[in-house]
Amino acid sequence: MDGESGSVFWARVCEHHGLASRGEAIAAFGQFGFKRRVARGELVRVYAGIYRVAGAPLTERQRLLGLTWALGGCAGLRSALALRELGGYTLGRPEILRATRSNFKRKLGNQIIRPHRTNFLPDHHLEIIDGITTTTLPRTLCDLSAVVSVDRLERVVDEAKRRHLIGYDDIARCREELRARGRRRTTYLDQVLESRVPGYEPGESPPEDVVRRWLEDGGYSPVAQHPVVVNGEKRRLDLALPEHMIAVEYQGIDAHSTQRAVENDSRKVTELQLAGWFVALVTKRTTKPELLRQIRDAIVRRHA
């Protein structure tokens, strides 16, 4: 009824769960036509610049798509798994991944959304699922490693492999790509791959490699990704001097860090200390002499 441009508009609306942007509507109907349809209630404002066609059913996928548009991000983590019907996750609590260095929360309607953030989200880490821009499955699993338990992650990885949705090599390649960008918090994923891929070696992130060389220059023999069990939980230490029960943990500011990840790190350090470990926390401001002095003092006190 609105010519060829209108037909294209309605086709796109059907692909996008009944949603359209203000720009799309104006391109199809013109400024006056757009305002007239809004006044008539044919287009209902959902978020700033995003409209729902009257009569289109309200669905969780529609809500998720609207949030990705409003926040300029994509569906990620548990929402990305829910779109693939993996892991038993639902779309009840949308999780949006946004390429930014800033940590912010935004009020949209009657809800407050705090999207996950990352400083590395290339196009080949994205795909379209049911009209919604979503992280690829390898990237989703890498991101998920920061927010779920290792047992839950194992179940998701095994289910994806069983359904032939992914191969272990695909996950490892994505993990290595993120590691090269300085991304951490894939320890749980490393454990999963180590137990399933013969010869898989997670290696060290670049900052940890620098710290390892510092310790070697100081005459120590640090062990990378040293496995321990504290309070019944399997953990991995960035670097360790097991004979002295000294752990060295690199505290990088991960561009994808979450409140839960920070809490998990804090709990990890506390449990290690209760188990008798001395934990040296290293940041980008820590100097080599400072770290070596801390290690020497710890060894002296340990054996005093």
Side-chain angles (χ1 to χ4, degrees), residues 145 175-176 179 183-192 194 200-209 212 215 221-229 234-242 246-250 268 277:
S145 180
R175 189 272 184 202
E176 290 303 311
R179 184 175 71 88
R183 270 285 308 277
R184 301 178 64 244
R185 306 190 188 287
T186 57
T187 301
Y188 287 167
L189 188 60
D190 293 338
Q191 292 182 38
V192 174
E194 278 186 280
Y200 176 77
E201 175 56 51
E204 306 162 45
S205 65
E208 292 163 2
D209 193 33
R212 177 182 57 79
L215 293 173
S221 300
V223 178
Q225 296 297 312
H226 180 64
V228 295
V229 177
K234 295 179 181 178
R235 298 283 192 175
R236 281 187 177 273
L237 310 180
D238 290 344
L239 295 163
L241 303 177
I246 294 176
V248 180
E249 291 287 294
Y250 185 82
K268 173 183 176 181
W277 285 80

Side-chain angles (χ1 to χ4, degrees), residues 150-198:
V150 65
D151 292 337
R152 191 67 184 268
L153 184 63
E154 283 180 334
R155 289 196 293 269
V156 174
V157 170
D158 290 344
E159 181 184 351
K161 186 69 167 60
R162 187 169 56 251
R163 289 170 52 183
H164 306 289
L165 298 177
I166 200 170
Y168 295 134
D169 289 343
D170 300 324
I171 305 174
R173 278 194 296 270
C174 185
R175 189 272 184 202
E176 290 303 311
E177 187 176 5
L178 293 174
R179 184 175 71 88
R181 302 285 301 192
R183 270 285 308 277
R184 301 178 64 244
R185 306 190 188 287
T186 57
T187 301
Y188 287 167
L189 188 60
D190 293 338
Q191 292 182 38
V192 174
L193 293 177
E194 278 186 280
S195 63
R196 286 157 177 75
V197 183

Side-chain angles (χ1 to χ4, degrees), residues 2-295:
D2 297 289
E4 185 178 351
S5 60
S7 299
V8 172
F9 172 79
W10 295 117
R12 288 181 60 81
V13 165
C14 292
E15 294 174 355
H16 292 149
H17 305 279
L19 295 182
S21 69
R22 184 176 185 273
E24 287 175 327
I26 292 176
F29 310 122
Q31 186 77 33
F32 178 75
F34 164 70
K35 291 182 177 180
R36 183 176 59 191
R37 283 167 173 78
V38 173
R40 289 176 180 175
E42 296 175 13
L43 294 175
V44 182
R45 184 179 183 276
V46 180
Y47 305 119
I50 302 172
Y51 293 80
R52 176 177 61 86
V53 173
L58 298 172
T59 66
E60 290 183 332
R61 295 194 175 213
Q62 180 190 94
R63 178 191 178 201
L64 178 63
L65 176 61
L67 288 173
T68 63
W69 286 0
L71 296 170
C74 66
L77 293 100
R78 283 159 284 219
S79 289
L81 292 177
L83 288 173
R84 297 179 173 90
E85 299 182 350
L86 263 175
Y89 293 107
T90 69
L91 296 174
R93 296 181 63 183
E95 290 190 281
I96 309 299
L97 183 64
R98 188 171 183 267
T100 179
R101 290 182 177 274
S102 62
N103 188 18
F104 75 102
K105 59 182 178 181
R106 182 172 171 184
K107 187 172 183 179
L108 297 172
N110 59 355
Q111 58 186 334
I112 295 178
I113 302 295
R114 185 189 294 275
H116 298 273
R117 59 193 176 96
T118 178
N119 64 353
F120 183 61
L121 191 61
D123 289 342
H124 64 275
H125 283 192
L126 301 172
E127 61 182 345
I128 304 297
I129 298 180
D130 198 10
I132 303 172
T133 303
T134 310
T135 51
T136 60
L137 189 49
R139 175 60 189 264
T140 300
L141 295 174
C142 288
D143 293 339
L144 194 70
S145 180
V147 298
V148 301
S149 68
V150 65
D151 292 337
R152 191 67 184 268
L153 184 63
E154 283 180 334
R155 289 196 293 269
V156 174
V157 170
D158 290 344
E159 181 184 351
K161 186 69 167 60
R162 187 169 56 251
R163 289 170 52 183
H164 306 289
L165 298 177
I166 200 170
Y168 295 134
D169 289 343
D170 300 324
I171 305 174
R173 278 194 296 270
C174 185
R175 189 272 184 202
E176 290 303 311
E177 187 176 5
L178 293 174
R179 184 175 71 88
R181 302 285 301 192
R183 270 285 308 277
R184 301 178 64 244
R185 306 190 188 287
T186 57
T187 301
Y188 287 167
L189 188 60
D190 293 338
Q191 292 182 38
V192 174
L193 293 177
E194 278 186 280
S195 63
R196 286 157 177 75
V197 183
Y200 176 77
E201 175 56 51
E204 306 162 45
S205 65
E208 292 163 2
D209 193 33
V210 172
V211 175
R212 177 182 57 79
R213 290 197 296 270
W214 287 358
L215 293 173
E216 290 175 345
D217 290 345
Y220 305 108
S221 300
V223 178
Q225 296 297 312
H226 180 64
V228 295
V229 177
V230 289
N231 196 23
E233 288 189 69
K234 295 179 181 178
R235 298 283 192 175
R236 281 187 177 273
L237 310 180
D238 290 344
L239 295 163
L241 303 177
E243 68 276 18
H244 303 297
M245 288 191 71
I246 294 176
V248 180
E249 291 287 294
Y250 185 82
Q251 299 293 96
I253 304 301
D254 191 332
H256 180 67
S257 62
T258 63
Q259 179 65 30
R260 182 175 298 181
V262 172
E263 292 170 354
N264 285 340
D265 277 357
S266 298
R267 187 162 62 90
K268 173 183 176 181
V269 171
T270 301
E271 294 293 351
L272 284 169
Q273 291 173 335
L274 291 175
W277 285 80
F278 171 80
V279 183
L281 298 178
V282 179
T283 70
K284 65 179 182 180
R285 294 185 180 277
T286 303
T287 63
K288 178 179 177 181
E290 180 184 4
L291 175 62
L292 293 180
R293 178 189 58 77
Q294 291 174 350
I295 297 300

